[in-house]
Every structure is written in C-alpha cells, then in structure tokens.
Amino acid sequence: MPSRDGALTRAARFFDEGGFRSLLARLVEYPSTSQEPGAEAALETYLAEAIRPWLERMGFAATIHANPLPGFGPILTAERIEDPARPTILLYGHGDTVRGLEDQWRPGLAPWGLTEEGDRWYGRGTADNKGQHALNLAALEAVLAERGGRLGFNVKLVLEMAEERGSKGLREFVAAHAEALAADALIASDGPRVDPLVPTIATGTRGTYHFDLLVRLREGGVHSGHWGGLTTDPAIILAHALSTIMDRNGKILVRDWLPRNGVPASVRGVLEGCPVGGGEGAATIDEGWGEPGLTPAEKIYGWNSLIVLAMLSGRPENPVNAVAPDARAHCQIRYTVDSDTAGFEAALRHHLDAHGLQQVRIENAGIRMAASRTAPDHPWVRWAQSSMERSLGKAVQIIPNSSGGLPGDVFVDHLGVPLVWVPHSYNGCKQHGPDEHLLIAPAREGLLAFAGMWWDLGEDGTPGRK
C-alpha cells in the first residue's frame, strides 16, 4: 500500500544508490552560464534537452518561452494539473549559472564536470541552482512512483535562465502569464541554510540597491612630482566619503538607510537562538563588525549592510607617477523590506553634502533586486516546517528572509503567493567563485524533506486556498 514512509524510502534509495549523483553530473555538464557571450545556445539546450523531457515523463506539459527582454535567457513553464480543487504549488528555479572561471579552479576540479571529494560534489551549478531544483524534482518523481502516477495536488514550474543577470525579463513574463501561473504557494529552493547542519525555511530575501560614487576632477592624470601636494587627489576624497558612510567597524552611518523601526518584534522573535555558520572554507564571522547590539542572525536576516563591491583609481595593475583624474567605487546595500529605498539616494546626497563632500557624485543608483518577505508565522510556512520536521526528525529553523537576493517579489507582486524557500546549500559553497560545491549530506536531507512535503500535499490538512 502506498505510504509516506514508502515515498521517503524511494527518495533515499535513489540518492544512496547514485541516481541523484548521476543526474546532477549530467546537468552540470551543460555550460549554461548566462554571464559570458557565446554561451546563449547552452541556455536553451539545458531546458530543451535536460529539463523538458524529464518533466514530460512525469506528466507535465512544458513550454520554453523567449524572454520578453531581448538578449536574456529563455524561461520554461510547466504544469501538471490533477484536480483544480486540490492545492496548487508553484516551483521555481534557475538553470543559468555565473561564469565558469575555468582558470581559477584548483587542480583536479573543473566547472563543467562533477567531481566528488569527501563530503562534496564540485561543479558549477551544483549549489546554484541546478542541484537545488533537481532535488525538488527528483523528490516529486519519488512521490509519483509511490502513488502509482498520482500526486494528489497540482504543480506549476517556472525555470528561468537569466537569474544570474538579475532575473531580467522575469517580472514582465510573470505579469503577462499571471493567470496561467496562479497558485496557492511558492515552495522552492535557492541559497544557503543558516548552518550546514540546520534545515532552514526562509520566507523572503533581502534586496540589493546599487550605486556608484564618483570623484572626477580633471580630464587626465598629472605628474605626481610636479602636482602632488598641490592638486586634489580624487582617491583620497573618495576614501573620506566612504569613511563617513560607514565606520571602521562596519556600522552604517547613513541612518536613514536602516529599517525604519529597527528589527521588528516578529523578526527578532523568530531569530532568537538562530545559529549562523558558514562551514569549513567560509568567511569568518567577525565579532564587533556591523551594527552594535544585534546578534549575527539579526545582522544578516533582519538588518541592512553596505558593501564596497569594487573601487578604482588609476591603474593598479600598472601604476604610473601621476595624480589620477578620478576615483570610483561601486557600492551595494543589502536591505530588508522594512527599509525606505525610495529615500536612499536623497539620504546619501544629504549626508555627503553635510560632510562637505559636494565633489562626490552619485550615479547609477537604484534597486537591482527587490526585497520580499512572507510573515514567518504564515500557515503555509508553519505547515512546511511541520512536514520537514516529521521527515527529518530534527528542528527546522525559520528565518524572515535569506541574506541574499532572489526574485520572490515578482511572485508576491503578480501572483500574491506566500513564499516558502527551502535552501539546500550553505554559506561556504562558493557558488559565485571557483570551486563551487554541494554538500552531500544536506542534499540528501533536502531530497527527503521535499519528498515528505510532496506526499503531505496530497493528503488532507494543507492550509486553505487563497
């Protein structure tokens, strides 16, 4: 007789006998980077060869659409409708990756091939995001097999190929297909757990706001011997500007950038006792860096951060004896939904002027990816937590939003769905650099967690329809 335990056993057997490893190896072989010219064909091929046939074998009707914005990767949609009266879940993922960076991987590793070492599977996309959406689909396949070709609920899927370019075109696409994509909840996977050993549910993501600071004083460089000490050095002006924006311990000094009423009580409550750990090979959590009085979890899940992504004056790779004509820094604010992004640029301009830094220009300011959040106590969130804990036999940590960015706002704005992000990776996975990898043990847990959720969706007791 079909059972929940039977579905989990099928999923575990598929993983333990090497089925998932083989599947992931095939997906990684597609050089589907969306950030390098000449790789456009691989974006289409990944969907047409690796994903659509798999979905069709599971009874989905799948279509590959051109991106509504020229020059960006295609978007696949699929649906499997058994009974419109049953819950409908929207799955999301992305098959595009960042640059391969082939020359930067350590010996023995390569981006477009899976390599197993110890407790890790290396390869571009293993963590971001091929491995994550593949786990969710493999779990769905296990439940289909256990129920004899039935699910007991409905599934829709959006798989985009431009996430690593800011999900360009996704908003326009979802707006145009809102009726076809209507669902009761989004349950999907991307990003890291709070700790490699702690299963996690994120109910949204921080957004990203970018801007350039520019000091341009003359058309060209001038001789450092003749002019040094007489003419203004733009790099020094820029450095002073940055020091007024953030202190040496990482505290943001433009206070109008911060969440308007501090960390909300609901956010602080769900983060109480929340661990933050990157795992081996991750960056350090430096005591004393960031906003004073906040826990590490509150700093990255309930607060805003400023990062200088790039800074340049002159030619560092080949310096000449000259006072440079200009200096530029590209900065990013990671912000939560509690922030007033409409006032970010004006607040910065006022701040710089108040410090006598009128020479510093602000350019290209704006949101790259908007923040999103579903209430951590939303019924779909708590349902998912209960299902996962039953499958895994351990506590599941809820966070109000992940520390990174995802296009959850698109689905909230146009579909009105609650967000249930269940990440399968961890902070040390190196997904945007060389040596990207997926930890094997959390991946196995992710497969079991989703097999349990897919099974439970076919039973009674799911949250009500919208």
Side-chain angles (χ1 to χ4, degrees):
M1 181 177 177
S3 67
R4 190 182 199 274
D5 286 344
L8 268 65
T9 298
R10 284 178 184 271
R13 185 184 307 124
F14 178 69
F15 195 94
D16 296 340
E17 294 179 355
F20 185 78
R21 184 193 186 283
S22 297
L23 168 63
L24 183 58
R26 293 194 298 273
L27 300 183
V28 169
E29 289 176 356
Y30 290 88
S32 53
T33 169
S34 60
Q35 297 185 337
E36 293 179 289
E40 293 83 3
L43 302 177
E44 180 89 23
T45 304
Y46 180 81
L47 297 180
E49 291 185 1
I51 301 299
R52 183 168 61 186
W54 184 17
L55 293 171
E56 290 173 345
R57 289 194 299 271
M58 287 192 282
F60 283 84
T63 305
I64 299 173
H65 310 261
N67 194 302
L69 299 185
F72 293 93
I75 299 171
L76 178 145
T77 60
E79 66 175 19
R80 191 183 189 284
I81 306 298
E82 288 187 1
D83 181 356
R86 295 294 299 164
T88 298
I89 298 302
L90 180 65
L91 262 174
Y92 163 85
H94 66 92
D96 68 313
T97 72
V98 296
R99 296 173 180 84
L101 304 175
E102 288 91 335
D103 60 329
Q104 298 180 31
W105 292 58
R106 65 175 171 79
L109 303 179
W112 311 119
L114 188 73
T115 302
E116 181 173 344
E117 286 187 3
D119 62 349
R120 302 175 179 189
W121 286 325
Y122 287 89
R124 179 63 81 218
T126 51
D128 189 17
N129 173 260
K130 294 177 181 180
Q132 302 218 35
H133 62 251
L135 283 166
N136 299 348
L137 291 173
L140 194 70
E141 199 166 31
V143 172
L144 270 171
E146 181 67 13
R147 277 206 167 109
R150 290 184 60 257
L151 287 175
F153 64 100
N154 312 302
V155 186
K156 298 178 181 181
L157 169 67
V158 173
L159 191 62
E160 65 161 320
M161 302 300 285
E163 195 272 349
E164 299 297 1
R165 296 179 67 188
S167 292
K168 296 294 187 182
L170 182 65
R171 175 171 289 275
E172 293 82 356
F173 181 85
V174 172
H177 296 81
E179 184 175 353
L181 295 174
D184 295 295
L186 180 143
I187 303 179
S189 301
D190 204 338
R193 293 174 164 195
V194 298
D195 181 275
L197 300 179
V198 180
T200 302
I201 294 174
T203 66
T205 56
R206 288 199 296 183
T208 61
Y209 185 98
H210 292 243
F211 61 90
D212 290 324
L213 292 180
L214 177 64
V215 182
R216 177 169 290 153
L217 302 181
R218 56 189 71 90
E219 288 303 312
V222 295
H223 193 284
S224 61
H226 301 327
W227 291 100
L230 294 177
T231 196
T232 304
D233 186 337
I236 299 299
I237 299 299
L238 178 61
H240 278 275
L242 291 169
S243 73
T244 74
I245 294 170
M246 174 177 276
D247 74 11
R248 69 179 305 277
N249 295 313
K251 177 183 176 180
I252 293 175
L253 302 177
V254 185
R255 303 304 282 178
D256 287 340
W257 283 352
L258 301 175
R260 286 162 286 192
N261 298 307
V263 180
S266 60
V267 171
R268 194 179 294 274
V270 79
L271 292 177
E272 186 176 355
C274 175
V276 176
E280 181 184 351
T284 58
I285 299 173
D286 298 322
E287 186 177 354
W289 183 264
E291 183 69 20
L294 299 184
T295 67
E298 290 167 348
K299 289 177 182 178
I300 64 169
Y301 304 131
W303 203 247
N304 298 352
S305 60
L306 172 71
I307 307 93
V308 179
L309 298 181
M311 186 162 56
L312 182 68
S313 184
R315 295 290 181 88
E317 75 282 3
N318 187 23
V320 297
N321 290 319
V323 181
D326 54 43
R328 178 185 293 270
H330 184 81
C331 303
Q332 178 193 76
I333 304 171
R334 292 274 179 173
Y335 71 92
T336 73
V337 295
D338 311 298
S339 310
D340 178 17
T341 55
F344 277 6
E345 184 175 2
L348 178 56
R349 182 72 270 163
H350 176 77
H351 177 88
L352 293 171
D353 290 348
H355 285 80
L357 293 163
Q358 288 81 6
Q359 290 170 300
V360 181
R361 289 157 47 183
I362 305 167
E363 296 185 350
N364 306 315
I367 293 171
R368 294 280 182 90
M369 191 166 281
S372 59
R373 182 188 295 152
T374 292
D377 61 352
H378 190 282
W380 273 106
V381 176
R382 294 300 183 178
W383 174 89
Q385 181 188 36
S386 176
S387 174
M388 290 174 61
E389 289 181 343
R390 181 181 175 191
S391 299
L392 303 179
K394 60 197 300 188
V396 172
Q397 176 69 51
I398 295 174
I399 55 176
N401 44 256
S402 68
S403 49
L406 283 170
D409 61 293
V410 171
F411 301 106
V412 172
D413 293 347
H414 293 293
L415 305 181
V417 290
L419 304 175
V420 181
W421 295 104
V422 183
H424 302 316
S425 187
Y426 78 116
N427 281 326
C429 70
K430 301 184 178 180
Q431 79 267 29
H432 282 187
D435 303 348
E436 177 181 348
H437 59 273
L438 184 69
L439 288 180
I440 297 173
R444 187 181 189 276
E445 283 192 337
L447 183 63
L448 295 178
F450 266 81
M453 282 194 287
W454 295 151
W455 180 270
D456 293 341
L457 281 163
E459 303 288 294
D460 293 332
T462 58
R465 305 293 300 270
K466 288 191 302 178

